[in-house]
Amino acid sequence: MSAPRIVYNEGYLDEQTKRVVRRALLKGVAIPGFQVPFASREVPMPRGWGTGGVQVTASIIGPSDTLKVIDQGADDTTNAVSIRHFFEKVAGAASTTLTEQASIIQTRHRIPETPLREHQIMVYQVPIPEPLRFLEPRETETRRLHALEEYGLMYVKLYEDIAKYGHIAKTYDYPVLVNGRYVMAPSPIPSFDNPKMHQNAALQLFGAGREKRIYAIPPYTDVESLGFEDFPFEPQRFDRPCEICGSSGVYLDEVFIDDKGGVMFVCSDTDYCERTATAGERRQTMEKSA
Amino acid sequence: MSYNVNNDLPENAVLSVQNVGKTFTLHLQESQRLPVLHGLTFDVPRGACIVLGGESGAGKSTVMKMIYGSYGTDSGRILLRHQETVMDLVTAQPRQVLAARRETLGYVSQFLRAVPRVPALDVVAEPLIERGISRETARERAGELLTRLSISTRLWKLPPATFSGGEQQRVNIARGFIIERPLLLLDEPTASLDARNRGVVIELIRESLGRGTGMLAIFHDADVREAVADMTVDVQSFTPAREQAAA
Amino acid sequence: MNNETPLLSVTGAGHRYGDRFGCRDVNFDLWPGEVLAVVGESGSGKSTLLGMLSQRLTLDEGSISYLTTRESSAGREDGTEFELLDLATLSEREVRRLWRTEWGFVHQNAAEGLRMHVSAGGNVGEPLMANGWRNYSKIRSEAEMWLRRVEIPSDRIDDAPATFSGGMRQRVQIARNLVFGPRLVFMDEPTSGLDVSVQARLLDLIRQLVAELGLAVVIVTHDLAVARLISHRTLVMKDGAVIESGLTDRVLDDPQAPYTQLLVSSILQG
């Protein structure tokens, strides 16, 4: 293989930019849930495709890291694969699909089913970082509301849901209160995953490229999903197991299996599903052989 | 009875009008000055009914309005016994005048100035409610008074704006008499009433006087005046010459 | 209630637009339970005065003080204590606390005071949620009670004000401004733009609620009939100055200033 014609700086971004992002990250960690503005740069993908997440990852990744990228829980979608390849190329990082082995997990829409551990970092791609935007489009005003801890508005949204549907209908990007202070958009993860953010051992970083915001949840931080006393937050539940691996209590995707509208429900976390299925087969084989 | 010459409010008086003068300045008519009263002096003792006399246009209603506070007073003093104190209504702050109206100074005018849409029963009950009496009790008392003044129950729930002049006046009287205040101003309260209702009003006035209320009244009807007046003050004798007005 | 100190005390207050004053040398005190009407034609400075009082415009001259209530410090049993605030020195956090807990503002245009696409119940419930209410059923029943008080049928609680008539929107706005138990409410021409019959109904409602709740109100209006119906005292403004003030009936029945006489004589007799 011939030498590449362009030599990229480690992590693609130049050092100055990485410093900018890291400073924002440090500030984010210091003020859990607070949206830190940063000078979002161009990266070789369109904005809205995870440029925020990519810039965060680029600023923290190095050759000793192992990167996992998931998109809707899957490691094998085009976007996930190309981001993984990108960092293999520009940061010399190893990549993996195994949650346990990853030091950095960049994600869109999911938190892995496998519990995270200390020293792991979750990087969330965030399209809209402002949880109050639904009711208050003025950024100047929402910033003020955060600063003064005025979150009545957030509850108006939940109130409207209950008034309309009899329950809080929001099932993704469900607002959370971080460390008892800032209301935060957890990115469009399903509310099923919300409880995983609470007191998580891993560091959670959030990057919104188009919106130029970075925020963070340090390890072991309280993350409370908002709700009313009489209508508390309820994560989604699935009343069936995965049809591939048989796991229950996991987030399921509805997958079409033929042209006649036939569907099956399977794990959205492909890594978890595969390993559970393999382990199950092994157990079955062992039981047979026993 | 002699007119009060002391500067202070006599022991037995609720109100003392002392050397009061009033001139209207009509800025829209070349700032024409229209003197209406000069040196007006009289007292209203407790339990007595003082009637203002004089021809129409003599300024009787003006006197009433100056005491009630809806007209300003240019000179003199109007001393009112308000609770434990004596208040000079000429110099009192708006807030003090309002307090006096709430507690001490009642006014039954010739015309009912009712808020649209409020039912007659509530118009009458309102002064009681403002004093913190429960709505229910207040309405009960209002009903009793309206019955006495022969306003039929079918009208109670309707706003008085739709009533006849006589009916409106009776609602107004009921509103004025529903609470006991030390001083009551009556500005032709019986003008459009029939003999029977005039009789009821005379009764109400006498009952109030008997409880010690001082009254200052303008009566169009001689029979009412004769029935309740303790003394007449001729306002006309305090009216300055009208040369300027005539000019 | 503290009777010695006024709720709101305005001394020599003025606001400047560039090198001319929008209003200047305004003085008045407002006590709990008092309704003060500010009347004048457009351009008289009445809206500037309201803007200044409500902290939307800067106070360039004079001072405004407000008597706030606070939960008394721990250990005391008498509930609240009073503190005189100089509004010019308040932090934004303090000002917003006042708006959340003690002050209301009823706009002429309901769209400025309401979230037009949030249900009536949500609009009325929002101030409660802003004050930390976190029980849906309680919030809803409180909102329902207030909507009933302003005569909105309870089956409209889940409809957005965008679907309401002008009069109904104003009533929702009033409910939203009263639900948290304010002590001082500013109103900017709350009834103009409504049909006459709707106006009368709304005025009566305001009058009744103000009396029942013992609110202090500053209401700006160009309509002397409105001032007469609901205010105790009136300030007449012209060219940025208060030219006459006093008991409303005295200002209207025995006006002294030439301009006030002109205003009063221009009222259509009803």
Side-chain angles (χ1 to χ4, degrees):
Chain A
M1 212 168 80
S2 59
R5 264 182 292 174
I6 305 172
V7 178
Y8 291 103
N9 191 37
E10 189 174 297
Y12 178 78
L13 297 175
D14 63 276
E15 290 303 312
Q16 284 306 321
T17 301
K18 288 199 284 187
R19 284 181 62 187
V20 166
V21 174
R22 285 171 193 156
R23 267 205 296 268
L25 288 169
L26 285 173
K27 186 168 179 181
V29 169
I31 317 171
F34 172 71
Q35 299 169 49
V36 185
F38 81 110
S40 182
R41 296 299 154 91
E42 294 291 333
V43 287
M45 57 176 14
R47 288 198 164 162
W49 286 59
T51 57
V54 164
Q55 288 178 82
V56 169
T57 301
S59 304
I60 59 172
I61 201 167
S64 60
D65 279 304
T66 307
L67 177 69
K68 170 182 164 79
V69 181
I70 50 175
D71 182 352
Q72 301 275 13
D75 293 272
D76 53 3
T77 66
T78 313
N79 204 22
V81 169
S82 54
I83 291 175
R84 216 159 52 222
H85 286 168
F86 175 71
F87 283 113
E88 283 170 10
K89 190 167 176 181
V90 301
S95 73
T96 181
T97 59
L98 300 176
T99 300
E100 287 95 335
Q101 285 182 10
S103 60
I104 299 171
I105 302 168
Q106 182 172 332
T107 180
R108 173 175 172 260
H109 291 172
R110 282 305 315 277
I111 299 174
E113 306 290 359
T114 311
L116 303 176
R117 53 176 169 76
E118 286 180 10
H119 305 298
Q120 282 188 312
I121 299 175
M122 282 290 293
V123 176
Y124 296 79
Q125 300 170 197
V126 182
I128 297 169
E130 181 47 74
L132 300 168
R133 187 166 302 165
F134 168 81
L135 289 158
E136 180 51 74
R138 289 168 299 176
E139 180 78 18
T140 48
E141 180 66 12
T142 55
R143 265 190 246 178
R144 198 166 277 142
L145 294 176
H146 283 295
L148 299 171
E149 217 176 332
E150 290 186 3
Y151 291 129
L153 201 54
M154 198 70 249
Y155 286 88
V156 171
K157 164 70 181 135
L158 304 180
Y159 171 97
E160 290 291 282
D161 266 14
I162 301 171
K164 217 174 280 173
Y165 309 110
H167 61 97
I168 300 175
K170 199 157 174 64
T171 54
Y172 67 94
D173 207 358
Y174 189 103
V176 292
L177 181 68
V178 179
N179 198 28
R181 175 60 182 84
Y182 284 96
V183 166
M184 188 195 90
S187 86
I189 59 170
S191 65
F192 176 89
D193 284 340
N194 269 30
K196 295 177 187 165
M197 309 180 92
H198 177 65
Q199 286 292 328
N200 198 309
L203 170 64
Q204 305 175 70
L205 305 176
F206 298 78
R210 188 182 47 204
E211 301 268 340
K212 305 180 176 64
R213 291 289 181 277
I214 277 172
Y215 48 102
I217 303 172
Y220 303 112
T221 301
D222 284 343
V223 179
E224 179 200 341
S225 302
L226 301 182
F228 291 104
E229 290 157 13
D230 48 345
F231 284 85
F233 165 71
E234 297 223 9
Q236 294 151 284
R237 276 184 220 294
F238 297 90
D239 49 8
R240 61 177 89 208
C242 168
E243 289 177 39
I244 295 174
C245 70
S247 297
S248 49
V250 293
Y251 191 79
L252 300 180
D253 281 340
E254 187 179 12
V255 178
F256 283 89
I257 48 171
D258 54 35
D259 291 341
K260 297 174 195 120
V263 292
M264 68 186 292
F265 288 87
V266 299
C267 282
S268 109
D269 185 338
T270 52
D271 162 56
Y272 182 83
C273 191
E274 253 174 61
R275 281 182 300 128
T276 312
T278 318
E281 275 164 30
R282 203 178 302 135
R283 199 164 50 243
Q284 277 178 0
T285 329
M286 272 157 61
E287 275 161 10
K288 270 179 201 160
S289 62
Chain B
M1 192 186 293
S2 65
Y3 288 136
N4 166 54
V5 284
N6 294 326
N7 282 338
D8 298 313
L9 185 62
E11 192 64 19
N12 70 330
V14 200
L15 182 82
S16 178
V17 174
Q18 301 176 354
N19 204 21
V20 156
K22 173 75 179 168
T23 300
F24 288 107
T25 306
L26 308 178
H27 290 286
L28 302 183
Q29 289 163 38
E30 292 151 358
S31 296
Q32 194 185 123
R33 288 173 55 79
L34 199 65
V36 280
L37 288 168
H38 177 76
L40 178 67
T41 302
F42 66 89
D43 289 348
V44 179
R46 282 200 189 90
C49 180
I50 307 301
V51 172
L52 295 178
E55 284 171 16
S56 119
K60 302 190 293 290
S61 285
T62 301
V63 175
M64 289 288 196
K65 287 175 176 165
M66 284 160 66
I67 296 168
Y68 194 63
S70 49
Y71 279 5
T73 302
D74 299 331
S75 57
R77 302 204 293 177
I78 301 175
L79 302 182
L80 174 74
R81 192 177 301 286
H82 173 59
Q83 293 166 327
E84 303 305 310
T85 62
V86 175
M87 183 189 287
D88 182 358
L89 290 167
V90 173
T91 54
Q93 292 300 305
R95 178 163 166 266
Q96 296 172 303
V97 178
L98 290 170
R101 287 181 186 177
R102 210 162 37 237
E103 304 297 337
T104 309
L105 185 57
Y107 186 31
V108 179
S109 66
Q110 197 171 350
F111 304 104
L112 177 66
R113 188 171 255 151
V115 177
R117 225 173 62 93
V118 180
L121 192 64
D122 287 349
V123 169
V124 176
E126 194 182 64
L128 273 183
I129 294 169
E130 279 177 4
R131 282 206 171 172
I133 309 290
S134 82
R135 192 168 286 272
E136 211 171 296
T137 316
R139 282 186 175 149
E140 215 168 282
R141 293 271 307 280
E144 287 165 20
L145 269 172
L146 288 174
T147 308
R148 257 185 102 176
L149 288 157
S150 26
I151 299 286
S152 89
T153 47
R154 79 190 156 79
L155 294 177
W156 293 6
K157 291 217 161 111
L158 301 175
T162 57
F163 294 4
S164 75
E167 284 163 344
Q168 287 195 18
Q169 195 158 42
R170 279 176 278 154
V171 169
N172 208 15
I173 290 164
R175 184 182 156 95
F177 278 91
I178 197 164
I179 53 171
E180 205 66 54
R181 279 170 290 207
L183 179 64
L184 190 57
L185 308 176
L186 300 168
D187 190 351
E188 301 209 32
T190 55
S192 33
L193 299 188
D194 57 27
R196 182 188 151 349
N197 281 310
R198 278 207 301 278
V200 175
V201 174
I202 291 171
E203 267 172 45
L204 286 170
I205 292 173
R206 282 184 172 151
E207 287 167 19
S208 242
L209 289 170
R211 287 189 292 263
T213 299
M215 292 198 195
L216 181 66
I218 301 170
F219 289 123
H220 182 71
D221 314 283
D223 56 339
V224 180
R225 189 165 56 226
E226 277 152 28
V228 297
D230 289 303
M231 200 193 75
T232 301
V233 173
D234 183 10
V235 175
Q236 214 144 359
S237 60
F238 300 100
T239 307
R242 287 282 177 86
E243 294 85 35
Q244 284 157 292
Chain C
M1 204 163 290
N2 189 328
N3 268 322
E4 301 311 309
T5 320
L7 190 63
L8 191 70
S9 188
V10 180
T11 314
H15 174 78
R16 204 167 38 220
Y17 295 107
D19 52 7
R20 54 170 287 276
F21 278 86
C23 75
R24 193 168 198 187
D25 202 25
V26 178
N27 299 282
F28 68 87
D29 288 334
L30 187 70
W31 272 269
E34 259 187 346
V35 179
L36 177 75
V38 180
V39 302
E41 293 169 329
S42 57
S44 62
K46 58 188 198 296
S47 298
T48 305
L49 173 60
L50 189 66
M52 214 165 57
L53 294 176
S54 62
Q55 300 281 293
R56 277 146 213 248
L57 294 176
T58 54
L59 183 68
D60 296 327
E61 271 187 4
S63 71
I64 302 174
S65 59
Y66 170 75
L67 192 69
T68 189
T69 52
R70 288 187 196 282
E71 302 286 311
S72 70
S73 32
R76 289 190 44 183
E77 295 214 341
D78 54 349
T80 49
E81 48 192 43
F82 297 93
E83 185 187 337
L84 199 63
L85 301 177
D86 177 357
L87 292 191
T89 64
L90 287 192
S91 67
E92 187 175 357
R93 178 183 285 272
E94 267 293 272
V95 171
R96 290 179 81 114
R97 180 189 72 83
L98 291 174
W99 283 118
R100 218 168 43 233
T101 58
E102 300 193 19
W103 294 355
F105 196 112
V106 177
H107 295 264
Q108 176 177 7
N109 177 2
E112 284 176 48
L114 292 176
R115 299 186 192 282
M116 296 302 277
H117 297 285
V118 166
S119 71
N123 267 293
V124 178
E126 183 179 346
L128 298 175
M129 294 183 243
N131 281 313
W133 287 43
R134 293 292 178 265
N135 186 298
Y136 174 84
S137 313
K138 284 188 191 154
I139 293 164
R140 191 172 171 85
S141 64
E142 190 74 5
E144 213 169 349
M145 191 271 281
W146 273 97
L147 287 171
R148 207 167 38 238
R149 270 184 101 161
V150 298
E151 300 166 20
I152 303 284
S154 50
D155 62 351
R156 302 299 304 271
I157 187 169
D158 292 328
D159 295 341
T163 69
F164 288 180
S165 69
M168 280 174 84
R169 287 177 187 180
Q170 282 311 54
R171 298 205 301 276
V172 175
Q173 210 196 159
I174 286 164
R176 179 180 162 99
N177 274 285
L178 297 184
V179 65
F180 57 90
R183 305 169 65 224
L184 172 61
V185 178
F186 302 99
M187 300 189 183
D188 186 9
E189 304 268 11
T191 59
S192 19
L194 300 176
D195 292 345
V196 179
S197 61
V198 179
Q199 253 189 39
R201 185 175 174 194
L202 188 68
L203 278 174
D204 171 41
L205 183 76
I206 293 174
R207 208 180 66 99
Q208 195 182 317
L209 289 170
V210 162
E212 275 171 29
L213 304 168
L215 293 174
V217 175
V218 178
I219 177 170
V220 160
T221 178
H222 68 278
D223 188 342
L224 297 185
V226 169
R228 167 144 2 234
L229 265 178
I230 70 170
S231 74
H232 300 109
R233 286 194 294 138
T234 295
L235 299 184
V236 182
M237 294 198 70
K238 182 176 190 289
D239 301 331
V242 175
I243 55 158
E244 185 157 359
S245 69
L247 284 172
T248 295
D249 50 346
R250 188 179 305 183
V251 169
L252 299 184
D253 293 343
D254 187 16
Q256 302 297 311
Y259 176 72
T260 317
Q261 291 190 355
L262 179 68
L263 267 189
V264 169
S265 68
S266 323
I267 306 177
L268 297 174
Q269 295 299 322

